[in-house]
Amino acid sequence: MEWLDLIAQISGSAIRFSVPLLFACLAGLYSERSGVFDIGLEGKMLVGAFAAGTVAALTGSAWLGLLAAILASVFFALLHGFASITHRGNQIVSGVAINFIAAGLTAQLGETWFDLGGQTPQLPNDARFMVIAWPYAETLRGVPVIGQIYSQILSGQNILVYFAFLAVPLTWWLLYRTRFGLRLRAVGENPAAVDTAGISVPAMRYAAVTCCGVLCGFAGAYLSIAQSAGFIEHMTAGKGFIALAALIFAKWRPVPAMWACLLFGVLEAVAIRLQGVPITGIGIVPVQLMQAVPYILTVVLLAGFIGRAVAPKAGGVPYVKEK
């Protein structure tokens, strides 16, 4: 039954690795479905992670850290909205600027405030979202298949993991079963028609980028106060860009987005598991190559395995109201 334990361990790790990608991917989905392209997911995750690590270290409360992450991320999301919606600026340039500002600002503030080389102080367990053990998890661990699923995949995750996967059906319901979702999708396809119906296009797009900011805040908080015990400089390590790739791979749909993020999570978990392990006919693969596997796959998938991905028709195009 060792192979069952191994599969269960990799599955549990894959779920944990996919969570920040899933939050960021859903964040980009809200924004881009409304017609606002956002390549600043990486920057918003980073400021969220820094805000969460800082506030959790100062207050000792993980929930206040999460709130700070959401507020900081929403501020940067609204900044992106102000540049691209109100002033009709180039959305790509705005997103790139947010990434650069976030990288420099978090490193400088971290060094100035804590003098720890850009890091925040190590968090105690009380200031973090710790794993939740489900009832009888240890008792059922020895039961084949069901025991592994229950004790190593469903149990032993922190609360933000459950939030991430609950956000998938919630996003699907909001987009496809509510008036808000219908209008949001319509704004991304034909803003002129929505405007003619008396609905404010800027208001809908600001609502979308706010949702994006909230979810990026969750992603950042997960990195610094759930998966890790504090903020580390540049700790997002390109996850915002992988989330964008997953969004395109999923063709801007929430459920396929979840599977795409889980695929990247599995690759990261397998890559870590194989570090230092000799492979028959190959030998020990360098650690750097194993760490690069998820990024290599991102390029391969986007290069030719996703078919035709059609973005929202009004995506990246500032809306100018006709007089």
Side-chain angles (χ1 to χ4, degrees):
M1 292 298 176
E2 288 184 359
W3 64 274
L4 278 178
D5 282 332
L6 180 61
I7 292 174
Q9 289 171 12
I10 291 177
S11 300
S13 299
I15 287 173
R16 287 188 285 276
F17 288 133
S18 69
V19 167
L21 300 178
L22 183 53
F23 275 130
C25 190
L26 293 176
L29 189 148
Y30 278 100
S31 182
E32 299 198 2
R33 276 287 192 161
S34 75
V36 181
F37 284 172
D38 191 353
I39 64 168
L41 299 176
E42 178 88 1
K44 288 193 281 288
M45 289 172 67
L46 198 58
V47 295
F50 178 76
T54 299
V55 172
L58 296 176
T59 65
S61 169
W63 289 104
L64 289 178
L66 174 62
L67 178 62
I70 292 172
L71 292 176
S73 178
V74 167
F75 173 78
F76 274 77
L78 292 177
L79 195 63
H80 178 58
F82 184 69
S84 60
I85 300 172
T86 301
H87 289 283
R88 305 185 189 101
N90 187 297
Q91 297 171 8
I92 303 300
V93 173
S94 175
V96 171
I98 284 176
N99 287 336
F100 280 124
I101 292 171
L105 187 66
T106 53
Q108 184 61 46
L109 288 180
E111 179 62 30
T112 304
W113 290 351
F114 302 108
D115 197 19
L116 294 171
Q119 302 180 20
T120 58
Q122 188 80 6
L123 295 175
N125 289 344
D126 292 342
R128 298 177 57 202
F129 290 111
M130 301 301 291
V131 298
I132 301 170
W134 286 23
Y136 307 109
E138 287 303 317
T139 306
L140 294 172
R141 182 180 286 268
V143 179
V145 183
I146 294 176
Q148 277 93 2
I149 293 174
Y150 185 82
S151 64
Q152 298 186 53
I153 298 176
L154 298 178
S155 177
Q157 311 286 0
N158 65 71
I159 193 168
L160 296 187
V161 175
Y162 303 112
F163 281 177
F165 285 92
L166 283 174
V168 176
L170 177 62
T171 297
W172 179 88
W173 177 76
L174 276 175
L175 285 180
Y176 298 107
R177 290 292 183 271
T178 67
R179 181 177 299 178
F180 170 77
L182 176 64
R183 291 176 175 177
L184 187 140
R185 287 185 289 127
V187 165
E189 297 292 337
N190 193 339
V194 175
D195 195 14
T196 303
I199 300 166
S200 171
V201 173
M204 287 303 303
R205 288 186 167 175
Y206 267 110
V209 297
T210 302
C211 292
C212 174
V214 170
L215 288 167
C216 282
F218 271 91
Y222 178 83
L223 290 173
S224 63
I225 61 176
Q227 191 176 48
S228 304
F231 173 82
I232 301 171
E233 192 176 345
H234 304 306
M235 73 184 307
T236 46
K239 288 185 171 56
F241 299 110
I242 293 180
L244 275 177
L247 181 60
I248 298 170
F249 185 55
K251 300 180 181 177
W252 293 270
R253 294 172 296 172
V255 176
M258 178 187 71
W259 294 116
C261 292
L262 280 171
L263 173 63
F264 287 113
V266 168
L267 284 170
E268 192 167 354
V270 170
I272 291 175
R273 178 68 60 176
L274 292 179
Q275 286 182 13
V277 177
I279 300 175
T280 306
I282 299 176
I284 296 178
V285 180
V287 173
Q288 293 81 358
L289 180 59
M290 297 306 298
Q291 290 174 338
V293 167
Y295 304 97
I296 294 171
L297 180 84
T298 301
V299 175
V300 171
L301 288 177
L302 290 178
F305 287 90
I306 63 171
R308 186 163 178 253
V310 180
K313 291 178 182 175
V317 181
Y319 177 66
V320 181
K321 186 180 180 69
E322 294 183 2
K323 302 293 183 183

